[in-house]
Amino acid sequence: MSALKNDTFLRALLREPVDYTPTWLMRQAGRYLPEYNATRARAGDFLALCKTPDLATEVTLQPLARYPLDAAILFSDILTVPDAMGLGLYFAQGEGPRFERPLREEWAIRALAAPDPADKLGYVLDAVRSIRKALDGSVPLIGFSGSPFTLACYMIEGSGSDDYRTVKSMLYQRPDLLHHILEINTRAVTDYLNAQIEAGAQAAMIFDTWGGMLSHRAYREFSLAYMARIVAGLKKENEGRRVPSILFTKGGGLWLEDMAATGCDALGLDWTIEIGDARRRVGDKVALQGNFDPLCLMGSPEAIVNEVEAILESYGPGSGHVFNLGHGINQHTPPENVNVLLDAIRKTSPGYHAG
Ligand code: CP3
């Protein structure tokens, strides 16, 4: 495996000096890109795209061919893990993810088992190896998983939800059952992320999309505690290099100190928090990734540039910031606005890394 030509992203995650603020975008390969839509049409549907390593490789590389990004992210989905547990993932047209067999009955919950990634998720590991080969050391590859709690939300509801009433009912009526699911998910996610790292993922990100809808106490007990166990169980080094971990709880701005205490290397921030405040709160414990409002990309070039400058100024001088969106890029984003964003970061950020 050739040496990395651009390791700015990995260095920033470890708060080592960099010349500019490295950048990637959540959901950088997605429906806002016409070339993505063309490949997805060739695959037939989204899941076929995820399950065909050659096509997953192709779409992973598409945003990098168009834009000067500092990292690639594996093209896959967090819900491949419950799919591998036998819940039957499908995507209803225009309605988001669904499971054929949501986890509701106690007997089904007791029968749940963590899948062997090499067996049930081999197509993801094949994609990781194929993407690494295609990247040829140009930029690092990020592997990812959902958090145990966020996976449980989809597994129990059987789809997305406005209020996660079924999940919260279980949390308050039968916390033992929810804890059992979270135990299994924790083992599954730890094994899965370690398998991605062994296959060549150079950083690992945990997406906790729904932890932010929990109460202060429930967040610690049902989401953070399990993410902390995953962080502790992750392989920390591969190919002679640190493999940094990133925790992202959407809506988790109130809990950054606790998240930083898990031992992860970086925290993902949504757009609701001032990044300078976040930096003061976490000190030198972790790096920060974020926190541009993805819908600002619907704005004028001036609005985009102003927001970039405000975020860079708020973070201030020095390393430890990976520029990113606070959540996935919207499918209606004009692709040329991403150039405006990246140009502004490349132009302004070196001033914060001088000397
Ligand atoms: O960032 C990337 O480019 C990597 C690919 C990636 C996808 N999903 C591809 C995808 C990643 C990292 C994810 C993570 C994911 N998936 C999360 C956590 C991050 C977040 O967004 O909060 C969640 C909650 C999911 C579950 C999921 N997958 C939902 C709710 C949906 C439907 C919503 C939507 O945007 O349509 C998906 C589908 C999905 N995953 C798409 C993509 C590109 C769109 C599907 C399509 O092409 O039709």
Side-chain angles (χ1 to χ4, degrees), residues 2-7 61 64 70 134-140:
S2 52
L4 260 181
K5 294 176 195 99
N6 173 356
D7 63 357
L61 297 182
L64 296 150
D70 297 291
L135 285 171
D136 193 26
S138 52
V139 290

Side-chain angles (χ1 to χ4, degrees), residues 26-31 36 40 46 73-79 91 96-97 144 154 207 209 327:
M26 281 170 66
R27 293 270 177 103
Q28 60 193 25
R31 287 165 295 184
Y36 169 84
R40 191 180 66 155
F46 170 69
I73 180 161
L74 162 69
F75 188 84
S76 188
D77 198 83
I78 63 167
L79 299 178
F91 282 79
F144 70 89
Y154 288 100
F207 288 95
T209 306
H327 199 208

Side-chain angles (χ1 to χ4, degrees), residues 161 166 171 206 261 264 294:
S161 164
T166 320
L171 188 155
I206 301 174
C264 65

Side-chain angles (χ1 to χ4, degrees), residues 154-169:
Y154 288 100
M155 292 160 76
I156 295 164
E157 296 289 341
S159 67
S161 164
D162 288 337
D163 57 5
Y164 289 95
R165 187 157 41 92
T166 320
V167 177
K168 286 197 167 183
S169 299

Side-chain angles (χ1 to χ4, degrees), residues 263-322:
C264 65
D265 296 288
L267 301 181
L269 303 177
D270 66 24
W271 60 89
T272 60
I273 183 166
E274 176 77 38
I275 194 168
D277 288 341
R279 185 181 191 185
R280 280 183 284 280
R281 284 170 51 198
V282 300
D284 60 5
K285 268 208 144 123
V286 289
L288 297 172
Q289 175 177 279
N291 72 330
F292 187 95
D293 180 350
L295 287 175
C296 182
L297 288 172
M298 305 301 284
S300 64
E302 298 72 43
I304 295 168
V305 171
N306 285 340
E307 190 62 18
V308 166
E309 290 178 351
I311 289 173
L312 292 173
E313 187 185 319
S314 176
Y315 186 82
S319 186
H321 179 205
V322 172

